[in-house]
Amino acid sequence: MEYTVNKLARMSGVSGRTLRYYDQIGLLKPARINSSGYRIYGQKEVDLLQQILFYRELDVSLEDIMEIIHQPNFDSSQALQQHYEKLKEKRSRLDKIMATVEKTIASIEGGIIMQDQEKFEGFKEQLIEDNEQEFGKEIREKYGEKKVEESNAKLRGMSQEDYNALTKLGEEIMELLVKAYKTGDPHSAEAQELAAKHKEWLMYSWSTYSKEAHAGLAEMYVADERFTAFYDKAIKGGTKFLRDSIMIYLGLE
Amino acid sequence: MEYTVNKLARMSGVSGRTLRYYDQIGLLKPARINSSGYRIYGQKEVDLLQQILFYRELDVSLEDIMEIIHQPNFDSSQALQQHYEKLKEKRSRLDKIMATVEKTIASIEGGIIMQDQEKFEGFKEQLIEDNEQEFGKEIREKYGEKKVEESNAKLRGMSQEDYNALTKLGEEIMELLVKAYKTGDPHSAEAQELAAKHKEWLMYSWSTYSKEAHAGLAEMYVADERFTAFYDKAIKGGTKFLRDSIMIYLGLE
DNA sequence: CATAAACCTTTACGCAACGTCAAGGTCAAG
DNA sequence: CTTGACCTTGACGTTGCGTAAAGGTTTATG
């Protein structure tokens, strides 16, 4: 099957302009040009475009995509790894920004006057974090969004204290995961403490606890991408490490 | 105190060019221009710059900042609220991208084949309906031929068939959930089929299966927002319905 | 078969928020 | 008085296209 620009464009969801641009920069040349100067794309180009769009969707620059798809021996794994790190930074920056925006909204609505200095401190990377905690605490106390979460928790039949403990435990688990992971050994004291805390955490939401269920859940963590993404966010490979630690803790395997 | 461009620049951490640009677009004019044409900034401008940088750090466009700081009656709270929503979308997109990058890295390193469907899931939404299916078929045909890659998949422990079956089962469960939910009754045949399929699905990733573990997981679904979000995406209230169905299926409660 | 509608081409400016020369004037110090 | 640091105004480059504009080609229809 052969396609002209706009046919391919409609098919792939990009614009005709985009295809011409890709031709121009040498990213995707048509299979041939017909007698009237029309660009004609074939099956090979369709496949290539898919690849391109795939990487583009991952936020890789066209220049980098060029390397990835045109160089056969290119180490795309490493390239993606680097790209991943960049994305992580981007997200953590986004998170900080969002926190500050939240606080700003709260301060406006709550009628709290933000001192100019405080505002200025906001964009001095390091200060922002210190400030965030103190400042954020005040706000949260008065108009906190956590209240919503808290009340939701109550509705679910959980006491305020339980909720606090659960939240804290969750944070501790994340911290411990990072620390334990660094020992590299799921038999280590840290890893076993991690597993124990994880059990503790589980028992808040499970009506009945059993080793089997715990082990099953640990396996689930590794198999289910939602969990893998969650625990690997703290540290890469953390999910598997957590599972191993739990298995040893439970005396299995 | 008075400052020239670069003095102010150094103080605030921006470049001289940035200040000239802000002057150019009317965002921040110097207090005055001296006899030699130098820009001279005063205290008022320092304060304004701080405001500007504050909002800039929040990723607000210069155009919007202009409105925020130049219009006294501007509803900055609402503006920030809107901005916050944008940031949220941005982050959720980032999260998706990161998950896919992770998967891609894993697939390269582990030799797992990512299904084309998976790869295209991200921008599938943009595809025009009519062409989507035909196009998808082409892709599937092409990758069906790649036996080399298929054999790599086995390295990971899960066969291609298993993987396909698992994926398909997951989709079926989602469909069934919607259908069963509409009966309104977790005792209904549909709901019980749903629970059965869910067990089947579980057994792909669990080495040992037990009623307790299954029940525990079902509870977990409701308690854990990640799961709630996931199953409620198919249909609101779906998570609870799934749990109820499973409980009945298991003869509990 | 003529003509309009639809589709193709290249050229080129526009966008956001500056970075980065370039060419040249100004000021403080040695 | 010269040197070097600092200031000025252009003006082009960046990224990935969107959006005309001006004009040639193909297809459908009356």
Side-chain angles (χ1 to χ4, degrees):
Chain A
M1 196 51 180
E2 299 202 316
Y3 312 92
T4 56
V5 251
N6 282 340
K7 274 184 192 159
L8 178 56
R10 272 195 300 272
M11 226 174 68
S12 59
V14 304
S15 72
R17 174 69 176 97
T18 299
L19 290 177
R20 290 191 196 96
Y21 181 65
Y22 289 174
D23 181 9
Q24 184 188 326
I25 65 173
L27 180 57
L28 180 69
K29 297 254 177 223
R32 60 189 180 82
I33 309 265
N34 77 4
S35 57
S36 326
Y38 286 23
R39 292 175 180 78
I40 308 292
Y41 296 87
Q43 187 54 47
K44 214 173 86 187
E45 286 71 35
V46 173
D47 291 346
L48 243 176
L49 177 58
Q50 294 307 317
Q51 295 273 341
I52 291 169
L53 294 185
F54 172 69
Y55 285 109
R56 188 186 71 164
E57 196 64 11
L58 302 187
D59 238 26
V60 181
S61 72
L62 297 187
E63 205 182 331
D64 289 349
I65 294 178
M66 199 106 80
E67 296 211 309
I68 292 176
I69 63 172
H70 288 332
Q71 293 186 15
N73 301 357
F74 188 77
D75 188 347
S76 49
S77 171
Q78 209 200 340
L80 281 176
Q81 190 66 54
Q82 281 176 15
H83 186 60
Y84 186 74
E85 294 305 318
K86 274 195 285 182
L87 289 176
K88 229 161 83 178
E89 279 171 33
K90 205 167 159 182
R91 190 180 59 181
S92 99
R93 181 162 172 274
L94 236 183
D95 281 339
K96 276 187 204 162
I97 290 172
M98 287 176 72
T100 312
V101 173
E102 263 178 57
K103 274 181 256 159
T104 309
I105 291 172
S107 81
I108 291 171
E109 292 186 343
I112 300 165
I113 298 165
M114 268 175 96
Q115 302 279 298
D116 272 7
Q117 262 218 333
E118 277 179 290
K119 287 186 186 174
F120 192 59
E121 278 168 8
F123 46 80
K124 294 205 161 166
E125 283 282 317
Q126 300 162 343
L127 290 174
I128 197 170
E129 284 191 42
D130 300 342
N131 195 39
E132 198 168 297
Q133 300 202 330
E134 206 190 352
F135 190 59
K137 212 171 83 188
E138 283 174 19
I139 302 292
R140 249 174 264 128
E141 274 166 15
K142 291 189 181 179
Y143 310 95
E145 48 138 20
K146 287 243 163 147
K147 278 263 167 77
V148 185
E149 280 179 43
E150 279 174 9
S151 64
N152 282 344
K154 261 190 195 167
L155 286 178
R156 280 194 311 209
M158 202 179 267
S159 80
Q160 181 82 10
E161 275 170 53
D162 280 353
Y163 179 77
N164 287 338
L166 184 59
T167 307
K168 203 181 148 206
L169 211 50
E171 285 166 10
E172 279 173 24
I173 285 172
M174 282 313 229
E175 282 169 28
L176 207 51
L177 174 58
V178 175
K179 219 160 69 181
Y181 183 87
K182 283 178 183 161
T183 68
D185 179 17
H187 289 86
S188 68
E190 286 86 351
Q192 290 309 297
E193 194 192 334
L194 169 68
K197 274 215 191 298
H198 188 261
K199 174 184 171 182
E200 219 184 302
W201 181 69
L202 258 189
M203 291 176 75
Y204 271 100
S205 51
W206 282 12
S207 37
T208 56
Y209 173 85
S210 74
K211 282 190 178 184
E212 270 187 16
H214 196 175
L217 188 71
E219 288 291 353
M220 193 67 188
Y221 278 9
V222 176
D224 193 300
E225 58 188 18
R226 283 161 290 163
F227 275 114
T228 312
F230 184 71
Y231 287 105
D232 275 33
K233 201 165 58 188
I235 191 155
K236 216 188 154 202
T239 316
K240 281 185 187 164
F241 186 84
L242 176 61
R243 178 201 54 186
D244 293 344
S245 302
I246 290 173
M247 286 307 179
I248 290 159
Y249 175 77
L250 296 172
L252 303 169
E253 180 190 358
Chain B
M1 196 52 179
E2 300 201 315
Y3 312 93
T4 56
V5 249
N6 283 340
K7 274 184 191 160
L8 178 56
R10 272 194 300 271
M11 226 177 68
S12 59
V14 305
S15 71
R17 175 68 175 97
T18 299
L19 291 177
R20 290 191 197 99
Y21 180 64
Y22 288 173
D23 180 9
Q24 185 187 325
I25 65 173
L27 180 58
L28 181 68
K29 298 254 177 221
R32 61 190 179 83
I33 308 266
N34 77 4
S35 57
S36 326
Y38 286 22
R39 292 175 180 79
I40 307 292
Y41 297 89
Q43 187 55 47
K44 214 174 87 188
E45 286 71 35
V46 174
D47 292 346
L48 244 176
L49 177 58
Q50 287 176 350
Q51 295 270 343
I52 291 167
L53 294 184
F54 173 70
Y55 286 109
R56 190 186 69 166
E57 196 63 13
L58 303 186
D59 238 26
V60 182
S61 73
L62 296 187
E63 206 182 329
D64 289 348
I65 294 178
M66 200 104 81
E67 296 211 308
I68 293 177
I69 64 172
H70 288 330
Q71 293 186 15
N73 301 357
F74 188 78
D75 188 347
S76 49
S77 170
Q78 209 201 341
L80 281 177
Q81 191 66 53
Q82 281 175 13
H83 186 61
Y84 186 73
E85 295 305 318
K86 275 194 284 182
L87 290 176
K88 234 161 78 177
E89 278 171 33
K90 204 166 159 181
R91 191 180 58 177
S92 102
R93 182 161 172 275
L94 237 183
D95 280 337
K96 273 187 207 157
I97 290 172
M98 286 178 72
T100 312
V101 173
E102 264 178 54
K103 267 199 250 171
T104 310
I105 291 173
S107 81
I108 291 171
E109 289 184 347
I112 306 162
I113 298 173
M114 261 177 97
Q115 303 276 292
D116 271 12
Q117 288 133 302
E118 254 183 296
K119 286 189 186 172
F120 295 126
E121 254 167 32
F123 45 82
K124 210 174 181 180
E125 297 153 24
Q126 296 163 12
L127 290 177
I128 291 170
E129 295 174 13
D130 299 343
N131 299 311
E132 188 180 335
Q133 298 203 330
E134 198 196 353
F135 193 60
K137 211 173 80 189
E138 283 174 15
I139 298 293
R140 252 174 266 128
E141 277 167 11
K142 181 208 156 199
Y143 272 81
E145 294 159 17
K146 293 204 169 175
K147 303 218 166 167
V148 186
E149 287 182 42
E150 258 179 22
S151 67
N152 284 340
K154 284 182 185 161
L155 286 177
R156 197 216 172 198
M158 195 181 273
S159 77
Q160 182 79 16
E161 275 171 51
D162 278 353
Y163 180 78
N164 287 338
L166 185 60
T167 306
K168 201 179 150 209
L169 210 51
E171 285 165 12
E172 279 174 25
I173 286 173
M174 283 312 230
E175 282 169 28
L176 207 52
L177 174 59
V178 176
K179 220 159 70 182
Y181 183 88
K182 284 177 184 162
T183 70
D185 178 16
H187 290 87
S188 68
E190 286 85 352
Q192 290 308 296
E193 193 193 335
L194 168 69
K197 273 214 192 297
H198 188 261
K199 174 183 171 182
E200 216 185 305
W201 181 70
L202 259 189
M203 292 177 77
Y204 270 100
S205 52
W206 282 13
S207 38
T208 57
Y209 173 85
S210 74
K211 282 189 178 185
E212 270 187 19
H214 195 174
L217 188 71
E219 289 292 352
M220 192 68 188
Y221 278 9
V222 176
D224 192 301
E225 57 189 16
R226 281 162 289 165
F227 276 113
T228 313
F230 184 71
Y231 287 107
D232 275 33
K233 201 167 58 190
I235 192 155
K236 218 186 151 201
T239 316
K240 279 185 186 165
F241 186 84
L242 176 61
R243 180 201 53 186
D244 294 344
S245 302
I246 290 171
M247 286 307 178
I248 290 160
Y249 175 78
L250 296 172
L252 302 169
E253 181 190 357

